[in-house]
Amino acid sequence: TGLKVKRLAVAVEHPGALVRSFAMPPLPKAEWDAAIQFEAKRYLPFKTESLVWDYHVVQHPETKRMEVVFAAMPREAFQVVQGALAAAGLQPSAIEPRSVSLARLSRTAPGTASGEPACLVDVERTLAHLAIIKHGVPYLSRDVSLLPSAVPAAAGPPQDPGADGAGEPIDPKAERLLSELSMSMDFFTREYPSTTISRVLLFGERQLVEPWCRWLSGKLSCPVELGSSLMAARVEGGGLELSFASAVGLLKREGSGREPSIDFLVRGLAKP
């Protein structure tokens, strides 16, 4: 391919990868690692010794608490990624969850500077990656299957999307996404009752997701839009396909400490 760069940042997606958020009393920074790892065990279905993990802390002095965003993936899966990179002659400078790459785009969204949450959804043909973003990091992240078998049998007859007036049935994938969005957003607002999700932004193949926006907006309590404005703010000249959203977020990783960062490589090189 003629690629000369051998050191690069990597975004990973794995069914076992997870993101959890929880609140803790403020602690000295020197105590964060041990205390957060201990607290995270309450929210994980795995032993932390079998995972690679990292976290980001948002401190709130006015409420005397700190919010922790904890991300993890199976150590075996992480080692497979490392092996594949080594076989290709590449050296990772960072390995982060896909939801963190996607969240980085939201730093340009109106309202996010004040911590107002937004939901970003990266849609593929059979899968959607959903992340609820606050303070520029994913507080909730899920992979949602869009396969027909995943649609409940009792979903009822197709509904009119109301987008073009043609009365054609809505895509069953959009119905499945609506169900998962509603459930995830309801869960998030129960966990954080003082917040509301300002909007949902869709990424993916435009011809697939653009027809869904108006229909989803009518079903949810917030507007649903394409993520074009976020992409344009990050890519000079614009024009890049919405399917490249995660890659654009990854490329804008500064690694300077000025933006939120979760990097599995930090602890992935250490023995469990």
Side-chain angles (χ1 to χ4, degrees), residues 18 24 41 55 59 81 97 119 126 139 150 196 220 223 236 249 265:
L18 52 85
M24 295 179 63
K41 292 179 180 179
Y55 61 83
Q59 299 190 72
V81 173
C119 182
T126 61
Y139 273 52
T196 57
L220 297 171
E236 292 183 11
L265 199 60

Side-chain angles (χ1 to χ4, degrees), residues 206-239:
R206 181 181 290 267
Q207 62 269 30
L208 176 66
V209 298
E210 188 170 23
W212 299 356
C213 290
R214 182 176 175 183
W215 183 80
L216 287 171
S217 294
K219 299 292 182 179
L220 297 171
S221 57
C222 63
V224 180
E225 312 162 4
L226 292 179
S228 308
S229 59
L230 269 62
M231 292 281 283
R234 289 287 189 175
V235 180
E236 292 183 11

Side-chain angles (χ1 to χ4, degrees), residues 21-35:
S21 59
F22 46 86
M24 295 179 63
L27 297 169
K29 195 168 185 178
E31 299 178 14
W32 283 5
D33 274 17

Side-chain angles (χ1 to χ4, degrees), residues 119-132:
C119 182
L120 276 60
V121 186
D122 200 356
V123 179
E124 301 173 4
R125 284 291 173 177
T126 61
L127 186 76
H129 186 72
L130 182 157
I132 296 180

